[in-house]
Amino acid sequence: LALLKTKRQPFMCQMARTRSAVLHGSSPCLLLVSLALFMASLASAAECPSSTDLQSSSDTTGHFLFASITWERVEGNTVMFEITSAWRRKHHWPCKKDEGFNGPDGWPGLGQELSVVGLSMVSDAGEKRQEAAGQVASKFYTGDGIEYDLSLKVTSFSVKEDWLMGVSFVQHTYKKPQHSVMPFYPPHYVASPGDKSKSQPYHAVPWRAEFLGCCRQYKGRGNSFNFGTAATIDLDDHVASPRIVTMPFQFVYPDTTNRIALCALSVAGKPGMVMKTNGTINYPQDDNTAATYHWSVESTTDATFIQDAKVNGQASTRSRCAILELDAVYKAGQRDYISVGVTLGNALVTADMTLTVLPEPPGTTNVLYALSTTASYFGCPRYEFCEYEQSFGKVLPAAAGLRSLAIISRLNDMLEVRYVISTGKHASSLVATQQNNVQYSATIAGEDHQALPTGATWNPVTNPMSNTGELVTGIDVQYSASDINTRPLVDVPISHEHRDYTAVAELGPDMYSVADSNFNKLTGGATVTILLEKMTNSNDGNAVFDHSRLAAITRVVLASDSQVAQYLDDGFTKVDKNLLQQSNRGAVYIMYKRGSGVPVLDIRTSAAAGYTRVSTSSSTGAIVSIYVHFARDVSIARTLNWKPCTGQDEEYIVCASVAAWNASEAYSTPQQCMLLDIVATKPPVFVPVTGSESDKVLHASMGKMLALEMRVRREDLPLAPSETVPSIRFSAINGQPRDEAGVSELLTARTRTLARIVPPSRVGSGLAPREDAGDSSLRGEFSGFIEWIPSPYQGGWEGQVCVEACLDTGLCPSTPMASSEVCSEQCYHVKVARCKWALQSDDSLIEIAPRFQTNWLQLWYLNPSMAHPDHASTLTVAAEAAQGVSVAGQPMQINIGRLYAPLWDDTLESVAQRFGMSVERLIQVNADLKGMVATHLFSEFKRSASNTISPEVCIVPDSCGLAR
């Protein structure tokens, strides 16, 4: 019976998981388990509380602790209401004699269906609750004359603290979308008596649904035992209500004002963030407007809401959360109730919750105090909330190096993290990181990381800013061979796939061996060594940002072959190495779990103070035992680790506190809330750079390097100091400028052409992290250059040079069938000067002329300031200045032809003939004439072409041809 009542003590005794294991086990522990199972079978029929138990739970105290309400439209005028509530557990709940209650102490337990009952509403503060006249019940009223008795399903409870929490659902169909309408007369309204039903504007009066009853457990400052929570419903205006996200029990400090963070989400998500009618009818001017949140205090409590609270010193960008500031100053030990409301657009919901005053003011003298004097949970400022945007594939915690929470108990009481987590659609019950004082799971697998999204964990972690290994983060087993193992049974055949274990693997920097862990000593078989890992940041720098690398092991068991499957179902990981390897004594394996409970500090193979024995026997009866040392969570630290992925893009709110039980009552830190906006990976963005503006025309010349600086910033938050560099490439359309097919064959060997993307160092390709003046990387920012040297056949070209910066989403695309890359594009408008060539080093006219299919004499004639045709680069400074082409650090330019303005009746053919050129050659030196027909008039081409071309064209006359 003791074992049944202490099912949270799995390390005291390794319970057999199958009937055959119990029957064949020989340890005293297994005999106790067998006896316990037998006794349990005799008492399988649960009973209702006795009259003595009921009398002791009665007196005059009430039973209500907390309630909140939400609703969502099902279809038409049908609404599904969801009421979350918390109550005293030892209350006069109706109990069926043939079923009883399923809790471990004879009171309601998980999954129990309870009928919500209460006492009559009390009208006089001095009236006795049991004697008040009226209906003895707590009812849900829909506002249209219909009332419902509620059935509550228990989702969590506490035996010590005497509370339970559960959820109720009511589906109700209204006869019309809202309660009533009232006409109003906006400016410039003109009545239309013949069609008033369609032209007369009305204000809609919503339905008001309420859950009312008696009695609160404490009267509080409002001097009333009656409780209530409400919601307004206008089905023309809203598809759903908001959901208030909060822990049911609020703890505040005495002798000071207090601040409580509260949050809300739209039950319908984005569709719920729109007011379809804005509460009016026949008045389209305000239809489909954005809905915003507004918080209010619904009770007489002396309190106000800070609506525009700042988040880490900046204005909130999402407005989902607010700060409730309690102006009333409480004394230690006082209790009160407060009712709050939040309106999303025109849809109001309220919550009625308890306030418990802690015994001491905040600070290190309090029974609970934080390790940090400035930051609270999740790296937030104290008494505020946090907002974080979290991209797919990026890891929490968002604040690098900070554990989500770290609290010390001055009274040396065992601590636990309690929390609720919610999306718009679903909210969890009050749960914890371990089933110590709060019961929330009927399975071992559900004890850890309860209610968290897939992949998210609450882990005890080694301090990521420490280089000292504190917690066991990994377990392995190593085999080797020695005479001690092989001599006694030297003739026993080797059964493992490896015939011998002569090589001993080198241990990692955080690994160490458990002394005397060879379970085959003097029995034959491989030499077995248990290895433990205590990961530290010094050996894994990424652990500062990915705390899951430092997650501690919290449960350790030994399993025989017959027990492995059940432990795997319970969430354990198997070290697939037999501790009895090659000894012909069966198999025993170490299995462990990285849960949310108490972390493991050490493992040894002999008994010692503070160590708990873990034992099992193999199929042959060989007993294996180890001893595990667990931390005492009187100083608790947990980290919320999560790498969200595809399908998890929505808003989540986590509200948490650290609680303890001290002899007769619970105490807790005030709650802290964090809003996580999970989004699909965003593409990197291009940052404007002076001189490389995408909205201006950038000028280039043939033979001259055009260098366009690019800056790219990653937007997939949160950003670590070291991020993967985005890939970058020319776009498939309007990307890398290229010559026409066949043109490259006309270029001489020394004609320099180039089109590439390089980092600032010009070494390699792609982007590189940006650095500040101190050579420190600018978080998430990268830079590089587009380098392009237009060829001799790209003069006159004008168009877009586009590049794409991309991130690989890996296993987490935005949707299951989406691309594995997300990209953004940047285009630059570039115009290449016609008839100009930028001189290269050691250029001569004889070398330049073949590039343009002309002769050196023609080029010399076109550049009269050139001193000698063999040394084109020896243009004098004076000549450069006269030509207006001298720019410091830039190559000099020469003319390779003449600019000609075509007449209105000119065609390609006529211009080519006039200057002794072929039509093909004329197009080659004027890249923007591509696509023009030989007989096409220039005037018509300019008018009809989709691109605009210069009024001038470049001609390279063939003097010899003209002379002939």
Side-chain angles (χ1 to χ4, degrees):
L1 291 178
L3 284 172
L4 290 178
K5 290 184 178 180
T6 57
K7 60 180 181 180
R8 281 288 298 149
Q9 308 297 324
F11 311 108
M12 298 299 293
C13 164
Q14 187 62 55
M15 294 180 64
R17 298 307 184 101
T18 65
R19 180 176 296 275
S20 61
V22 172
L23 294 177
H24 292 92
S26 59
S27 69
C29 171
L30 295 180
L31 294 177
L32 285 173
V33 172
S34 301
L35 177 59
L37 293 175
F38 172 72
M39 296 296 292
S41 66
L42 296 179
S44 59
E47 297 181 354
C48 294
S50 66
S51 57
T52 303
D53 292 334
L54 290 174
Q55 181 61 37
S56 64
S57 69
S58 296
D59 297 331
T60 58
T61 56
H63 61 300
F64 172 82
L65 297 172
F66 166 83
S68 66
I69 185 173
T70 64
W71 63 266
E72 184 173 18
R73 182 180 188 169
V74 179
E75 61 179 359
N77 293 334
T78 300
V79 173
M80 179 64 77
F81 292 97
E82 178 183 341
I83 303 99
T84 302
S85 55
W87 313 80
R88 280 183 57 220
R89 186 164 168 267
K90 292 183 177 180
H91 169 61
H92 288 249
W93 299 103
C95 180
K96 297 180 181 180
K97 290 186 177 180
D98 56 339
E99 294 182 7
F101 290 140
N102 65 356
D105 57 350
W107 290 92
L110 294 176
Q112 189 92 55
E113 293 280 352
L114 301 174
S115 296
V116 177
V117 297
L119 301 175
S120 299
M121 300 287 282
V122 177
S123 58
D124 184 351
E127 187 177 10
K128 293 183 178 180
R129 282 167 284 175
Q130 295 93 331
E131 299 176 3
Q135 183 172 268
V136 184
S138 296
K139 298 279 188 179
F140 179 67
Y141 305 91
T142 56
D144 58 352
I146 306 298
E147 60 185 44
Y148 291 89
D149 293 317
L150 290 186
S151 176
L152 169 79
K153 185 173 182 178
V154 178
T155 52
S156 63
F157 68 92
S158 175
V159 174
K160 290 180 179 178
E161 299 168 25
D162 189 24
W163 59 260
L164 61 80
M165 189 172 179
V167 63
S168 309
F169 293 95
V170 174
Q171 182 168 304
H172 178 71
T173 301
Y174 289 98
K175 292 182 179 180
K176 52 185 180 178
Q178 57 279 123
H179 177 273
S180 58
V181 296
M182 297 177 61
F184 73 101
Y185 303 92
H188 311 297
Y189 167 69
V190 178
S192 177
D195 194 16
K196 186 175 182 181
S197 62
K198 293 183 179 179
S199 62
Q200 171 66 56
Y202 293 94
H203 282 302
V205 179
W207 298 109
R208 183 178 177 88
E210 297 178 302
F211 175 43
L212 304 174
C214 184
C215 297
R216 290 172 170 173
Q217 188 169 0
Y218 316 104
K219 185 184 298 185
R221 291 194 171 191
N223 203 30
S224 174
F225 286 114
N226 301 327
F227 66 84
T229 183
T232 61
I233 306 99
D234 180 354
L235 295 172
D236 279 342
D237 193 21
H238 286 280
V239 295
S241 72
R243 178 191 299 277
I244 295 177
V245 184
T246 178
M247 301 178 71
F249 316 123
Q250 300 298 327
F251 289 81
V252 296
Y253 293 112
D255 306 325
T256 184
T257 58
N258 285 272
R259 306 178 89 191
I260 301 173
L262 297 172
C263 296
L265 290 173
S266 168
V267 172
K270 290 183 179 179
M273 299 297 297
V274 176
M275 295 181 290
K276 295 188 293 181
T277 67
N278 200 8
T280 62
I281 298 173
N282 298 334
Y283 193 67
Q285 289 90 327
D286 62 358
D287 288 356
N288 298 313
T289 54
T292 57
Y293 292 90
H294 179 79
W295 291 84
S296 58
V297 178
E298 298 292 313
S299 58
T300 58
T301 310
D302 188 8
T304 55
F305 268 103
I306 303 175
Q307 306 275 356
D308 55 348
K310 294 187 179 298
V311 182
N312 290 323
Q314 298 181 348
S316 169
T317 58
R318 294 169 178 83
S319 303
R320 309 296 193 258
C321 302
I323 300 295
L324 174 63
E325 191 163 62
L326 299 174
D327 299 321
V329 176
Y330 292 96
K331 295 299 180 182
Q334 276 189 298
R335 299 181 188 271
D336 198 4
Y337 281 81
I338 186 169
S339 181
V340 299
V342 63
T343 304
L344 177 58
N346 296 305
L348 166 73
V349 294
T350 69
D352 196 342
M353 54 191 177
T354 60
L355 297 177
T356 299
V357 185
L358 292 165
E360 297 166 325
T364 55
T365 60
N366 195 271
V367 290
L368 293 174
Y369 62 94
L371 296 178
S372 169
T373 58
T374 57
S376 190
Y377 309 157
F378 314 115
C380 308
R382 278 181 170 276
Y383 316 124
E384 294 184 14
F385 56 89
C386 279
E387 294 179 351
Y388 292 115
E389 183 176 295
Q390 190 79 15
S391 300
F392 287 176
K394 304 304 285 287
V395 294
L396 276 175
L402 291 177
R403 292 176 285 190
S404 296
L405 47 85
I407 298 293
I408 292 176
S409 168
R410 184 169 55 80
L411 301 181
N412 214 31
D413 292 322
M414 294 288 286
L415 305 178
E416 63 188 16
V417 178
R418 297 184 181 180
Y419 60 97
V420 295
I421 183 167
S422 178
T423 62
K425 283 283 187 185
H426 305 286
S428 77
S429 188
L430 178 61
V431 295
T433 49
Q434 56 185 323
Q435 290 200 120
N436 189 7
N437 295 322
V438 180
Q439 304 296 309
Y440 49 83
S441 175
T443 66
I444 294 177
E447 290 182 0
D448 298 296
H449 322 305
Q450 175 66 240
L452 297 182
T454 301
T457 58
W458 271 112
N459 294 119
V461 299
T462 295
N463 186 348
M465 304 308 292
S466 169
N467 292 328
T468 303
E470 305 168 357
L471 312 176
V472 175
T473 57
I475 301 176
D476 202 354
V477 173
Q478 185 182 76
Y479 298 138
S480 60
S482 70
D483 289 344
I484 295 176
N485 289 75
T486 57
R487 187 180 298 126
L489 298 173
V490 70
D491 296 328
V492 173
I494 296 176
S495 59
H496 194 269
E497 59 182 354
H498 299 115
R499 292 195 55 79
D500 202 359
Y501 301 99
T502 57
V504 177
E506 183 178 352
L507 300 184
D510 292 320
M511 301 287 289
Y512 66 96
S513 57
V514 176
D516 198 23
S517 56
N518 180 18
F519 299 100
N520 290 334
K521 192 173 183 180
L522 302 178
T523 62
T527 298
V528 175
T529 304
I530 296 176
L531 305 178
L532 301 182
E533 176 193 59
K534 291 187 176 181
M535 177 70 75
T536 62
N537 175 44
S538 60
N539 292 316
D540 186 354
N542 289 326
V544 174
F545 311 103
D546 185 358
H547 291 194
S548 63
R549 296 170 180 263
L550 300 174
I553 289 173
T554 58
R555 306 266 312 256
V556 180
V557 297
L558 296 176
S560 64
D561 280 328
S562 62
Q563 296 170 319
V564 167
Q566 182 61 57
Y567 281 122
L568 291 174
D569 290 343
D570 290 339
F572 285 80
T573 298
K574 175 186 175 185
V575 179
D576 198 13
K577 295 178 182 178
N578 182 10
L579 295 179
L580 305 178
Q581 179 72 358
Q582 293 187 347
S583 68
N584 273 7
R585 294 183 297 146
V588 171
Y589 301 94
I590 292 183
M591 302 185 72
Y592 63 87
K593 186 189 260 194
R594 289 188 177 92
S596 52
V598 181
V600 174
L601 300 178
D602 190 27
I603 297 176
R604 56 185 296 160
T605 58
S606 58
Y611 284 72
T612 302
R613 183 173 181 250
V614 175
S615 179
T616 195
S617 59
S618 70
S619 58
T620 65
I623 298 176
V624 178
S625 299
I626 58 175
Y627 295 83
V628 182
H629 186 198
F630 294 94
R632 290 193 72 246
D633 270 347
V634 295
S635 172
I636 193 170
R638 295 292 185 272
T639 296
L640 181 59
N641 292 301
W642 188 22
K643 185 186 288 187
C645 200
T646 308
Q648 295 181 317
D649 45 333
E650 59 182 321
E651 292 177 318
Y652 296 79
I653 290 176
V654 183
C655 294
S657 68
V658 173
W661 174 260
N662 181 26
S664 61
E665 63 180 354
Y667 57 98
S668 169
T669 61
Q671 78 171 15
Q672 183 92 43
C673 295
M674 172 178 64
L675 168 63
L676 276 175
D677 188 4
I678 307 300
V679 298
T681 303
K682 295 180 179 179
V685 297
F686 286 86
V687 180
V689 180
T690 302
S692 298
E693 294 88 346
S694 60
D695 59 345
K696 295 182 179 180
V697 177
L698 305 173
H699 296 276
S701 297
M702 292 180 289
K704 175 184 175 182
M705 171 81 75
L706 175 66
L708 301 177
E709 183 181 1
M710 301 174 295
R711 293 180 185 173
V712 174
R713 183 177 64 241
R714 290 186 61 154
E715 296 284 288
D716 53 323
L717 303 176
L719 295 174
S722 177
E723 291 281 1
T724 303
V725 179
S727 63
I728 193 164
R729 58 179 178 256
F730 287 105
S731 302
I733 301 175
N734 295 328
Q736 181 176 354
R738 298 182 186 275
D739 285 316
E740 291 297 308
V743 168
S744 59
E745 300 172 0
L746 303 175
L747 301 177
T748 60
R750 291 186 58 186
T751 303
R752 189 181 177 203
T753 61
L754 184 70
R756 65 178 186 175
I757 300 173
V758 294
S761 66
R762 284 2 189 236
V763 177
S765 61
L767 302 171
R770 285 194 66 211
E771 295 180 347
D772 60 17
D775 293 333
S776 297
S777 175
L778 295 172
R779 186 169 296 199
E781 293 193 20
F782 308 87
S783 62
F785 288 86
I786 298 174
E787 292 187 339
W788 178 36
I789 302 177
S791 81
Y793 297 93
Q794 290 175 321
W797 182 89
E798 183 176 359
Q800 301 287 326
V801 177
C802 300
V803 291
E804 292 179 330
C806 302
L807 283 179
D808 185 357
T809 59
L811 300 177
C812 297
S814 58
T815 61
M817 303 302 293
S819 170
S820 61
E821 277 189 328
V822 288
C823 304
S824 60
E825 186 179 60
Q826 176 84 3
C827 292
Y828 301 91
H829 188 176
V830 181
K831 185 175 184 179
V832 181
R834 65 183 80 237
C835 274
K836 295 289 185 181
W837 172 257
L839 293 176
Q840 314 295 312
S841 60
D842 298 327
D843 258 350
S844 67
L845 295 186
I846 294 175
E847 187 168 1
I848 296 172
R851 298 172 187 165
F852 298 94
Q853 300 180 40
T854 186
N855 58 75
W856 67 268
L857 192 61
Q858 181 72 37
L859 292 180
W860 195 19
Y861 173 75
L862 293 171
N863 296 276
S865 61
M866 189 174 294
H868 193 282
D870 290 339
H871 300 93
S873 60
T874 59
L875 279 170
T876 64
V877 174
E880 288 181 70
Q883 290 186 346
V885 299
S886 177
V887 180
Q890 299 292 330
M892 297 172 289
Q893 297 182 1
I894 65 169
N895 300 316
I896 55 90
R898 294 290 191 192
L899 293 176
Y900 170 74
L903 302 176
W904 70 271
D905 59 345
D906 272 340
T907 65
L908 275 177
E909 192 173 54
S910 66
V911 171
Q913 272 186 338
R914 187 173 304 142
F915 294 101
M917 302 175 66
S918 66
V919 171
E920 180 184 17
R921 178 67 189 132
L922 183 58
I923 294 176
Q924 287 176 352
V925 294
N926 293 276
D928 55 344
L929 298 182
K930 176 188 174 184
M932 186 175 179
V933 179
T935 58
H936 205 156
L937 292 173
F938 274 94
S939 55
E940 293 181 358
F941 182 73
K942 285 186 285 188
R943 285 196 300 269
S944 62
S946 58
N947 63 317
T948 59
I949 63 172
S950 170
E952 298 176 319
V953 295
C954 179
I955 59 171
V956 184
D958 184 353
S959 303
C960 296
L962 288 173
R964 289 194 296 272

